[in-house]
Amino acid sequence: MAAGALTREGGEDAFRRLFRFYRQRDASDLRGVLDFSAPGGQVFRSQLSVSSVSDQDAYRAGLQPVSQWKAYGLSGYPGFIFIPNPFLPGCQRHWVKQCLKLYPEKPNVCNLDLHMAPEKTTDLWGQSKEQLRRKGSSKREPRSLLEKLRWVTLGYHYNWDTKKYSANHHTPFPSDLAFLSEQVAAACGFRGFQAQAGILNYYHFDSSLGIHVDESELDHSRPLLSFSFGQSSIFLLGGLKREEAPTAMFMHSGDIMVMSGFSRLLYHAVPRVLPNPEGTALPLCLDQPLASDLPLGSVIEHSSEEDWQVCAKYLQSSRINMTIRQVLAEGQKFPEESGTNGKGQAPSEDSYHENSKVKRHKPNTV
């Protein structure tokens, strides 16, 4: 059955049917997948709050002036905003390097902590960079620790057992990522957004992310921000129930999604990661060099050529996604909890990320 026919079908878990369709490695019918580089149909231009972000602050975050961004909405999904790559040339490289080199460092938490001693996960970059740099195309080569990374949590660390955040499992949120998130949120009409928790996802061509809703944050009035880098993916955005068939769309390197209002609590998933549509090893936007003169106060840092070679090799078969959220409203506190230390982690990494050998698709966070 074609994707279009599945999209029109409702009924019992219509979302799962379309997820399985796009999950197939041989699913070549991608005509039903929206591409915001050529919008049409249910896609319309969305207005941004241009005056909420100065050009200087946009530059400091590595972004074009908001007046130059294109933003789109989707009919039937109020509060959903899609912003095709608004990053300045070379600036995506900074966020890729942070996600691979800095953000996995302690005290942040990652999936490898579940089955490795703490001293083994203190320097994933240092333990992996030579192996990645030398890596060929053979699938028989052992994977580096960075290639085994599936998720990293920042700020308030999500408790995978209780599906909650708590006050006593918190580490400082990265200031550069907080600044980027605050500018994007302000441009979308959410001034005063506070980046308090983040989950970084690391995908490979055999990865997917199961069907789920992001509802663990105590304040749902604040948006969820999603940033993608590297190879492309198919993203499915559904309804309030899994019986509603989702809309499929491409996410390419540099694209940003904002889920707010009605769309904040909709089911969504990533069934498949795809090679970027340009047919090159890396998207062309990642080949662009960073300007030599960065603005005063920029959170963007120049990457050494050596570091970027490692990142580029990783991204040839991978995609990185950062999802940022505000957990608490202004002045809000966590409810008192009994019988938990707030530090429970995921029972297994496969219950979060799906790979080609895993058939179950549970609701998850992000």
Side-chain angles (χ1 to χ4, degrees), residues 113-326:
D113 297 324
L114 306 181
H115 47 78
M116 295 180 68
E119 63 271 16
K120 299 287 188 181
T121 61
T122 52
D123 184 16
L124 301 182
W125 176 268
Q127 296 182 68
S128 304
K129 61 181 182 179
E130 289 304 324
Q131 190 176 348
L132 267 172
R133 193 180 288 117
R134 296 192 308 266
K135 195 171 184 67
S137 58
S138 172
K139 293 183 178 180
R140 295 184 178 180
E141 294 182 51
R143 291 186 302 163
S144 64
L145 286 179
L146 273 180
E147 291 171 292
K148 295 179 180 178
L149 199 60
R150 289 294 176 266
W151 51 260
V152 168
T153 53
L154 310 171
Y156 287 113
H157 297 281
Y158 185 71
N159 184 314
W160 304 90
D161 298 326
T162 64
K163 302 191 184 306
K164 294 180 180 179
Y165 300 94
S166 63
N168 58 352
H169 195 200
H170 175 269
T171 56
F173 194 93
S175 58
D176 58 348
L177 184 51
F179 185 76
L180 170 69
S181 303
E182 288 156 11
Q183 307 319 306
V184 171
C188 293
F190 296 94
R191 298 185 74 164
F193 175 86
Q194 298 176 50
Q196 296 175 335
I199 299 182
L200 315 180
N201 287 307
Y202 302 82
Y203 298 86
H204 306 296
F205 283 136
D206 62 348
S207 303
S208 65
L209 183 66
I211 305 165
H212 66 281
V213 176
D214 293 298
E215 57 186 358
S216 298
E217 295 73 33
L218 275 66
D219 179 18
H220 294 155
S221 69
R222 305 269 90 185
L224 181 136
L225 312 179
S226 172
F227 302 85
S228 288
F229 305 107
Q231 301 300 327
S232 300
S233 71
I234 295 174
F235 179 80
L236 298 179
L237 181 62
L240 295 170
K241 299 179 180 178
R242 288 170 62 135
E243 289 77 12
E244 299 176 53
T247 296
M249 63 196 78
F250 288 113
M251 286 198 75
H252 303 305
S253 193
D255 290 348
I256 301 174
M257 286 193 318
V258 178
M259 296 172 68
S260 68
F262 172 81
S263 293
R264 178 64 178 76
L265 296 174
L266 298 182
Y267 278 101
H268 53 280
V270 177
R272 190 171 171 197
V273 176
L274 301 161
N276 85 84
E278 295 155 336
T280 50
L282 288 183
L284 297 179
C285 59
L286 289 171
D287 282 338
Q288 298 171 311
L290 188 64
S292 56
D293 53 334
L294 294 171
L296 186 67
S298 175
V299 301
I300 303 296
E301 301 171 344
H302 283 276
S303 297
S304 69
E305 189 57 36
E306 178 185 4
D307 280 358
W308 178 244
Q309 286 176 5
V310 177
C311 294
K313 181 68 79 167
Y314 176 90
L315 287 183
Q316 286 180 10
S317 60
S318 304
R319 168 182 178 255
I320 298 173
N321 177 257
M322 311 187 300
T323 57
I324 315 302
R325 65 284 311 280
Q326 179 170 334

